[in-house]
Amino acid sequence: MATNEVKRLRPFINGEFIESKTEVYNDAFDPSTGEVIAKVPCCTAAEVEQAIASAKEAYKGWSATPVIKRVQVLYKMRDLIEQNIDELTELLARENGKAWAEAKGDVLKAKEGTEQAIAAPSLMMGESLMDASSGFDTVLYNEPLGVFAGIVPYNFPAMIPMGWMAPMCIACGNTIVIKAATFVPQSALRFAELYKEAGLPDGVLNIVTCSRNEAEIFLNHPDVKGVSFVGSTSVGKHIYKTAAGNGKRVQALCEAKNHALVLEDAPIERTAAGIINSAFGCGGQRCMALPAIVVQESIADALVAKIKELAQKLVVGPAYDKASQLGPVINANHQKSVNDWIQKGIDEGAKVVLDGRQTVVEGYENGFYIGPTILDEVTPEMSVGQKEIFGPVLCVKRVKTFEEGLKLMNDNEFANGSVIYTQNGYYSREFARHTDGGMVGINVGIPVPVGMFPFSGHKNSFFGDLHCLGKDGYRFYTETKVVTTRWFDEEEAKKEETSTWDGTI
């Protein structure tokens, strides 16, 4: 798979790839080899403005297109994703580093989001009431708003921009400009090509790559009606404060430090298998990873030993080798960051059960690999167990009781997801009721619901009022309009006076 080809990428604006006028290009790497595979333009402010203007112009015709015709494009797009699944998977694996099966899942989640958006004709249906007041009929409509901006991270190059954002936004009659992640823009750009092939009018979907400075335009531009963001909490807070302060819709999905509480009645083998998948899948680079487990002391030694055994069997290798189970992390800087976190955990007093820092893959020695790492006896005061590491690192915390474990979990500032492993129905119910996590798993290590439900993080994991996906998703991309109608009969038409509260009481 090694190649010397370095592509010079172009933003996608108004239905075509344009040559950027920027003088700044950033390197995008193949994480499996360490090779530069693309030069990514840092689009100028003028080009970002051009993309917004294109979306604004396209909105006039697209919003007036009946929703049933809008979703015909999504039907075709769904078919194109299926027809190009292997190409999209390989492209994603090569630019992101996910193992093949994980990369394919990323693409399939984009397809799932597309399929959910196809339901827009039903989701956008309003409500009505004849004689809401005597002689007055009231109808509620759900209408599109205009231009939206999507600011996305590197960890899910297909699912987030092309599953969570674009399909529902487009289906509801809006237009969108997506700032693709600089490290992994090729998947989003290829999806844009497929949307054009599916018949999407020019300007409805635009893809730019730029720095944080140019992205600020989205937060302040009067023609941008809403911003959807996925990324760090510090940036998410800034986006929420700035864009909302300018009267825009905002959904900011941010960091996490998800925990699983493992009770002593949990089956060791199956629980360990679930934790392996949740902690080390996608290289730990997902906000719904399971980087911390809270284990009752009576089974802690046995569970940790089993997790170590299974972790050592994981095949670490290049993303596009279908035998690989754990690919590299995104780049050298992030590899160093994760390695530094592991060392920090050791310095803080954690016990090293498995150390993946010296992992080298034969033939891919320059890749950004980190093997599965397990740190045991992590205590509440250790930052390694509280902050998001975003790598294949599992922290083990030990407790005596259910109540102690639940409190320890809820003390964390993040609340994307939380998990319990147990066969006890009472504790399962108590956990579901009292955990702070917005997405809860009972013997489910990655409790991300399918797309008809919202991705509902809490606390410092989310800022906004409406989550992505589910009914929240279509509400985010529409606004309500209530129309009240009164028709006069012959007698009513002759009246010269009305009540102050005419039709409202």
Side-chain angles (χ1 to χ4, degrees), residues 3 5 91 173 212-213 275 322 384 400 436 492:
T3 177
E5 180 187 0
L91 177 61
R212 182 172 175 175
N213 293 330
I275 291 169
K322 294 182 181 180
V384 72
K400 291 182 171 62
D436 289 344
E492 180 72 18

Side-chain angles (χ1 to χ4, degrees), residues 363-377:
Y364 296 87
E365 288 81 5
N366 293 322
F368 311 125
Y369 297 96
I370 302 173
T373 298
I374 303 170
L375 301 177
D376 197 0
E377 299 179 17

Side-chain angles (χ1 to χ4, degrees), residues 150-152 160-161 163-170 176 228-230 477:
I151 303 175
V152 303
I160 292 176
W164 290 6
M165 296 180 185
M168 186 62 76
C169 179
I170 289 169
I176 190 167
S228 183
F229 167 81
V230 181
Y477 289 115

Side-chain angles (χ1 to χ4, degrees), residues 468-484:
C468 73
L469 300 178
K471 292 181 179 178
D472 267 18
Y474 95 85
R475 291 188 183 110
F476 180 74
Y477 289 115
T478 60
E479 61 182 354
T480 57
K481 178 180 287 182
V482 180
V483 179
T484 301

Side-chain angles (χ1 to χ4, degrees), residues 169-192:
C169 179
I170 289 169
C172 287
N174 305 287
T175 57
I176 190 167
V177 181
I178 291 176
K179 176 196 173 298
T182 298
F183 302 147
V184 293
Q186 294 183 75
S187 293
L189 292 169
R190 178 66 180 123
F191 266 83

Side-chain angles (χ1 to χ4, degrees), residues 392-449:
V393 181
L394 176 65
C395 296
V396 181
K397 306 178 182 183
R398 298 178 178 227
V399 295
K400 291 182 171 62
T401 65
F402 168 84
E403 292 76 15
E404 181 188 357
L406 180 60
K407 181 181 184 304
L408 188 154
M409 295 170 72
N410 283 344
D411 284 344
N412 193 263
E413 65 177 299
F414 305 114
N416 241 7
S418 59
V419 175
I420 186 169
Y421 283 99
T422 181
Q423 297 298 89
N424 187 299
Y426 171 78
Y427 281 130
S428 296
R429 187 172 185 272
E430 285 295 290
F431 183 83
R433 288 181 63 199
H434 297 295
T435 180
D436 289 344
M439 289 166 281
V440 181
I442 298 173
N443 299 315
V444 177
I446 299 287
V448 178

